[in-house]
Amino acid sequence: MTAWLMIGALAVTTALIKAFGPVLVGGRVLPPTAMKVIALLPPVLLAALVVTSTLSEGQRLHVDASAAGVAVAAVMIWRRLPLLVVVLTAIAVTAALRALT
């Protein structure tokens, strides 16, 4: 439940940032460096949420089969394989490792 609350809070915060951005900038164009940083924020936040939900159990680090599935998916995305192939392979790796334990 806490993870869903965090996801909801981050979604609302992102919407507020997007809403107040034009108000705060006031019609001025942001420098290209700032635009590059802003463009990188959503994927970084998503990656942080995935890693946190995969590797944490309360206050402890918890590495299990799902960590291997996420690692396989990360490599496959880096190699630019189709998303459906990535998801199905990650599911298969996770399921296979869970079946072995």
Side-chain angles (χ1 to χ4, degrees), residues 6-80:
M6 179 64 80
I7 291 169
L10 288 172
V12 168
T13 303
T14 301
L16 288 173
I17 289 171
K18 286 184 177 186
F20 285 114
V23 173
L24 295 175
V25 173
R28 296 180 303 236
V29 176
L30 292 174
T33 308
M35 293 302 292
K36 288 179 184 177
V37 170
I38 291 169
L40 290 175
L41 287 176
V44 169
L45 278 174
L46 180 60
L49 284 171
V50 168
V51 168
T52 302
S53 67
T54 302
L55 298 178
S56 68
E57 184 176 289
Q59 296 291 325
R60 299 178 340 158
L61 179 66
H62 181 74
V63 179
D64 62 355
S66 60
V70 169
V72 167
V75 170
M76 293 178 77
I77 288 173
W78 173 62
R79 300 298 301 158
R80 298 193 184 271

